[in-house]
Amino acid sequence: MTVLHLDHFTLRTPKVEETARFFRDAVGLHEGWRPAFPFPGKWMYAGDRPVVHIANISGNNTELEAYLGGRDTSVGGGSLDHISLRCEGLAEHQHKLAAFGLSFQERVVPELSEHQLFVDDPNGIRIELIFPYAPDNALMGDNLGRLEIDAG
């Protein structure tokens, strides 16, 4: 067995519209086709891949729980620390987040060739957006510093 890549993640939330708007407007995904499941929700796409599945947990959750099983939907996802998406267009994303009034943190990791940007979604889940590192990348959010990795 070989794992090829992360396929998608599913968020259970009563904040379906706010969550879809966050992933559309702040992250840059777009809403797309979703199968006719017996419970409401949305799928958010990166290109032609549905990477975020949003399941509505407001109201009667009988159909959702029959399909996915029951879960604790504590704010922030319990043991989940963050979800990471590899991106392009750092400056555009920084300006977009600032325009929406979203606070975010950033750090550069030159040894990994990464510029990491962290922002919380409407459900309190930390989203990491990873951009290519360049020495002239500007930091617009709260600066988490430059992470140096000891090679030895």
Side-chain angles (χ1 to χ4, degrees), residues 12-83:
R12 294 182 190 211
T13 180
K15 301 176 182 178
V16 172
E17 293 305 322
E18 298 97 318
T19 302
R21 187 170 36 255
F22 169 83
F23 280 99
R24 182 187 65 235
D25 297 343
V27 175
L29 302 180
H30 64 276
E31 187 176 342
W33 178 83
R34 178 181 179 268
F37 292 119
F39 53 89
K42 294 182 182 284
W43 278 11
M44 305 302 293
Y45 283 69
D48 62 353
R49 296 194 48 189
V51 297
V52 181
H53 298 181
I54 304 168
N56 190 339
I57 60 167
S58 60
N60 183 342
N61 295 316
T62 304
E63 297 292 340
L64 171 65
E65 290 180 5
Y67 186 78
L68 293 177
R71 300 287 294 178
D72 176 10
T73 56
S74 301
V75 173
S79 296
L80 175 68
D81 184 77
H82 70 277
I83 298 165

Side-chain angles (χ1 to χ4, degrees), residues 114-135:
E114 293 182 351
H115 185 122
Q116 302 168 336
L117 189 152
F118 299 91
V119 61
D120 292 342
D121 88 340
N123 306 290
I125 298 172
R126 175 67 38 112
I127 306 299
E128 176 187 14
L129 306 174
I130 301 175
F131 299 88
Y133 167 74

Side-chain angles (χ1 to χ4, degrees), residues 111 148-152:
E111 293 79 6
E148 299 291 342
I149 299 173
D150 184 7

